[in-house]
Amino acid sequence: MALTMKDVDRFETARPRLEAIAYRLLGSASEAEDAAQETFLRWQAADTDRIEVPEAWLTKVLTNLCLNQLTSARARRETYVGQWLPEPLLAGDPMLGPADTAEQRESVSYAVMAVLERLSPNERAVYVLREAFDYPHREIAEILDITEAASQQIFHRAKKHVAAGKARTEIDEADARRIIDEFLAAATSGRTEPLVRLLTQDAVAIGDGGGKIPARTKAFEGALAVAKFMRGLFKPSAAKRALTGGSPDVHVTTANGEPAVVAVLDGRVVGVMCLEITPEGIAAFRNQVNPDKLARATRRWAATEHGEPLFKAF
């Protein structure tokens, strides 16, 4: 059936929320956009006059599309080259969704997004809809075709999994910026000891190159191993300049609500390093260098103001 302008406007009003839900469910901005567009095609084919609550209908269609996508995505990730990390979203990206509460902000952090990968599709859907978008269990049950009691049980189980794997107590923005400045000074000093002092003993460093950019297939674990890796990462070399095509500018910003180091070369984001900072020190580095997962970050970077770079890498 042909959509009226009112129907189109109703969907476009809902699109940002739908994309934000899909991003949390899939961990991919491009796949989230595709899921929202497929939802629009279903909306276009529906008899909208018979849909009593359009927002609920759209959310149900989108969520079930994402659940199907998650099943196939798990199979693809079994053959993914190296570590798989979500696609990072830079500060202000509308796909980050609501950020009014601590729970909403935390649900889209890189640390929690990594934990969500270990949940079952239903656990992930219930957690996202409840924790990030405040859907009541009655509505979640209708979306997923389960009972309200089942939704509550799944949420309780998912929340326990997330709590066990998420970041420790956060620190405020000013302290985080101080620590990231100290980290960059230590990483470019060529010395290991200052780096070790900034890390937790169980610190990890994970990189996602997608087989297109060299990245270690296993995480670095432990303060000393991570410090040595970071010292080497920031050490200038002709090989690194050849790999990236030059010397990227290094900026500090936020990605997925966490402190991040962003490397930019000729306006193109070539790397995003998210830092998980706790009162005990830096607990994790999650480095996204897969160019397929940095296209949206590049577009966002070009559309926003940012200060002068701190220095040039390599």
Side-chain angles (χ1 to χ4, degrees):
M1 298 181 66
L3 291 183
T4 65
M5 284 306 300
K6 180 180 179 182
D7 290 331
V8 173
D9 289 344
R10 180 170 283 166
F11 181 85
E12 291 305 325
T13 298
R15 187 188 289 271
R17 177 179 58 83
L18 296 173
E19 289 186 347
I21 292 172
Y23 172 72
R24 282 172 165 84
L25 290 176
L26 300 173
S28 165
S30 58
E31 290 179 3
E33 290 173 338
D34 290 344
Q37 188 59 27
E38 180 61 30
T39 302
F40 174 74
L41 295 178
R42 304 286 179 93
W43 174 248
Q44 191 176 38
D47 183 354
T48 56
D49 290 338
R50 297 172 64 90
I51 298 174
E52 294 182 5
V53 186
E55 290 73 16
W57 188 93
L58 292 169
T59 303
K60 182 181 178 73
V61 170
L62 175 98
T63 301
N64 283 282
L65 286 169
C66 289
L67 290 176
N68 292 336
Q69 180 78 359
L70 277 174
T71 302
S72 60
R74 289 196 168 202
R76 290 200 309 276
R77 287 170 195 169
E78 288 178 1
T79 59
Y80 191 81
V81 179
Q83 300 283 331
W84 187 95
L85 288 173
E87 188 173 341
L89 299 181
L90 298 184
D93 193 311
M95 200 177 280
L96 288 168
D100 298 326
T101 67
E103 290 78 13
Q104 289 173 334
R105 292 189 295 273
E106 184 180 71
S107 70
V108 79
S109 71
Y110 229 45
V112 169
M113 292 284 285
V115 177
L116 292 181
E117 284 295 308
R118 302 200 289 267
L119 301 184
S120 72
N122 261 19
E123 286 175 337
R124 188 165 183 167
V126 171
Y127 181 84
V128 165
L129 291 172
R130 179 64 184 158
E131 193 80 344
F133 294 90
D134 203 28
Y135 277 82
H137 284 290
R138 174 182 53 78
E139 292 184 24
I140 296 173
E142 293 173 356
I143 289 169
L144 298 177
D145 292 324
I146 59 178
T147 66
E148 188 171 345
S151 176
Q152 293 169 339
Q153 291 170 355
I154 292 171
F155 176 69
H156 178 70
R157 187 166 64 243
K159 197 165 185 177
K160 284 180 64 176
H161 287 318
V162 172
K166 71 181 181 182
R168 286 154 281 198
T169 306
E170 297 178 358
I171 62 174
D172 66 37
E173 187 175 340
D175 284 341
R177 180 56 196 256
R178 174 182 56 78
I179 291 172
I180 202 170
D181 287 342
E182 290 178 4
F183 159 70
L184 289 172
T188 54
S189 72
R191 299 170 56 222
T192 303
E193 295 79 6
L195 279 167
V196 171
R197 289 196 294 269
L198 291 171
L199 309 179
T200 62
Q201 287 302 306
D202 59 350
V204 297
I206 304 168
D208 179 348
K212 300 186 177 183
I213 300 293
R216 182 180 166 96
T217 56
K218 292 185 178 180
F220 290 92
E221 299 181 352
L224 183 58
V226 172
K228 288 180 177 178
F229 166 66
M230 288 297 162
R231 183 191 65 190
L233 181 66
F234 282 89
K235 184 177 181 180
S237 76
K240 292 173 187 171
R241 290 191 292 273
L243 180 65
T244 58
S247 298
D249 292 329
V250 174
H251 296 259
V252 173
T253 182
T254 62
N256 291 67
E258 295 178 314
V261 176
V262 178
V264 183
L265 182 65
D266 298 329
R268 176 172 55 91
V269 174
V270 295
V272 176
M273 176 190 292
C274 291
L275 283 75
E276 184 179 321
I277 300 178
T278 74
E280 294 77 34
I282 304 172
F285 300 87
R286 296 181 176 90
N287 311 320
Q288 184 56 262
V289 292
N290 183 346
D292 293 343
K293 297 183 180 181
L294 294 172
R296 186 179 178 95
T298 294
R299 293 196 299 272
R300 181 69 192 170
W301 189 261
T304 55
E305 292 292 328
H306 36 79
E308 292 297 313
L310 298 179
F311 56 88
K312 282 188 177 291
F314 316 145

